[in-house]
């Protein structure tokens, strides 16, 4: 029994020593940024002919990071972020598989014409990255996981036509931009959990203030694997530019 308690005490002391070593020289950084990007296929398919417009969205990102040099200039960073990632685009497509609602009627087939998409996601993101610290620069790379708390992916079509079923099916014409355009809503098909890679760099301007640039490249598609209406897999690919403030 004495040996048992002695072992427990030694393990507790060792754990306390290790924990103290890990928390020594730990850096706390607050960051605020703006996300620019979209949910897109990797490689532009022939069915998407052109991007007519891209409207910037209020894609704010707030985060808190813990970072520590562990082995020389190499270290580890972990954090938590509250992020908004969204896009609003107008594209021209040809023979693009779509499902839409027109006058209360559901239509599905191959669509040719203009397509407007508005995507908006609020998420909680946890990145874990290896770091390399040199001078004023902190280089970072590692995986992240996001939980999407609020999600929306909807839009409308105009100035085009739909071939129901397949490219030789009955033609349904779509009018110009305005009220009464056929709409679609795939919000319920967005994944709750998203995984990907995050890489970027922080640059320290002063003793506490710095700037940052990051890219988050999703490895899981935006939509659930069971969703087949949009044939191409769309990946969340966003860049973030921002400011950092060292709290400790």
């Amino acid at each position: 029994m004495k040996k048992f308690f002695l072992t427990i005490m030694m393990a507790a002391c060792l754990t306390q020593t290790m924990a103290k070593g890990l928390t020594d020289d730990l850096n706390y950084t607050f960051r605020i940024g703006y996300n620019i990007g979209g949910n897109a296929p990797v490689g532009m398919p022939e069915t998407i002919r052109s991007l007519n417009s891209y409207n910037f969205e209020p894609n704010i990102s707030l985060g808190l990071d813990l970072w520590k040099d562990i082995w020389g200039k190499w270290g580890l960073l972990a954090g938590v972020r509250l992020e908004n990632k969204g896009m609003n685009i107008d594209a021209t497509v040809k023979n693009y598989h779509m499902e839409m609602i027109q006058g209360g009627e559901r239509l599905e087939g191959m669509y040719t014409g203009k397509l407007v998409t508005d995507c908006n996601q609020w998420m909680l993101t946890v990145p874990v990255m290896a770091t390399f610290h040199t001078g004023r620069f902190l280089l970072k790379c590692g995986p992240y996981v996001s939980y999407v708390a609020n999600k929306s992916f909807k839009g409308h079509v105009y100035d085009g036509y739909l071939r129901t079923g397949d490219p030789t099916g009955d033609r349904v014409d779509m009018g110009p931009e305005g009220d009464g355009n056929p709409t679609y809503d795939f919000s319920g098909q967005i994944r709750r959990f998203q995984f990907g890679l995050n890489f970027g760099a922080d640059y320290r301007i002063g003793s506490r203030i710095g700037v940052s640039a990051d890219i988050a490249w999703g490895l899981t598609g935006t939509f659930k694997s069971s969703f087949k209406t949009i044939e191409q897999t769309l990946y969340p690919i966003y860049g973030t530019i921002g400011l950092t403030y060292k709290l400790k």
Side-chain angles (χ1 to χ4, degrees):
M1 186 62 70
K2 289 182 179 180
K3 291 182 178 180
F4 174 76
F5 281 113
L6 183 59
T7 302
I8 293 296
M9 291 178 63
M10 291 178 63
C13 291
L14 181 61
T15 301
Q16 184 178 7
T17 302
M18 293 177 62
K20 186 177 184 302
L22 288 174
T23 56
D24 284 346
D25 302 322
L26 194 62
N27 297 276
Y28 298 84
T29 302
F30 172 78
R31 62 181 66 239
I32 180 170
Y34 181 78
N35 296 318
I36 305 172
N39 299 69
V42 176
M44 193 64 70
E46 293 184 358
T47 53
I48 301 177
R49 295 307 175 96
S50 64
L51 183 63
N52 305 319
S53 68
Y54 175 94
N55 297 318
F56 289 95
E57 299 288 289
N59 293 338
I60 193 71
S61 175
L62 301 173
L64 179 66
D65 292 341
L66 280 71
W67 160 65
K68 177 182 173 61
D69 280 333
I70 296 176
W71 183 42
K73 295 182 178 181
W74 292 93
L76 187 66
L77 180 149
V80 61
R81 314 224 196 295
L82 175 63
E83 298 185 291
N84 181 223
K85 292 182 178 180
M87 66 174 187
N88 183 286
I89 62 168
D90 185 318
T92 297
V93 299
K94 183 174 182 179
N95 289 331
Y96 192 77
H97 188 255
M98 278 295 292
E99 179 182 307
M100 60 193 71
I101 303 296
Q102 183 181 45
E105 181 183 1
R106 177 182 172 276
L107 301 173
E108 183 177 359
M110 311 306 288
Y111 173 71
T112 298
K114 305 289 181 61
L115 179 146
V116 175
T117 297
D118 186 85
C119 174
N120 190 25
Q121 302 174 85
W122 279 98
M123 61 189 67
L124 193 66
T125 299
V126 176
V128 178
M129 291 180 279
T131 63
F132 182 76
H133 183 210
T134 174
R136 292 178 177 268
F137 281 98
L138 180 69
L139 307 180
K140 310 167 294 181
C141 182
Y144 72 85
V145 58
S146 295
Y147 173 76
V148 183
N150 187 278
K151 51 186 182 172
S152 174
F153 193 102
K154 58 181 66 175
H156 65 273
V157 299
Y158 69 100
D159 280 350
Y161 61 88
L162 181 81
R163 293 285 187 180
T164 58
D166 56 54
T168 62
D170 294 336
R171 173 169 170 154
V172 181
D173 290 319
M174 313 297 173
E177 179 78 275
D179 294 336
N181 294 125
T183 62
Y184 61 91
D185 187 348
F186 305 141
S187 304
Q189 300 298 327
I190 293 179
R191 293 177 184 267
R192 283 290 183 189
F193 287 95
Q194 299 178 0
F195 302 91
L197 291 177
N198 195 111
F199 52 93
D202 293 351
Y203 179 77
R204 182 168 49 84
I205 299 173
S207 59
R208 292 189 179 274
I209 298 176
V211 294
S212 65
D214 296 87
I215 294 178
W217 193 292
L219 300 179
T220 49
T222 301
F223 296 108
K224 302 172 184 177
S225 58
S226 58
F227 179 67
K228 304 298 183 183
T229 299
I230 297 179
E231 296 175 343
Q232 299 85 11
T233 300
L234 303 183
Y235 296 94
I237 304 171
Y238 285 84
T240 306
I241 54 175
L243 298 173
T244 63
Y245 184 81
K246 184 179 177 182
L247 299 173
K248 176 182 178 295

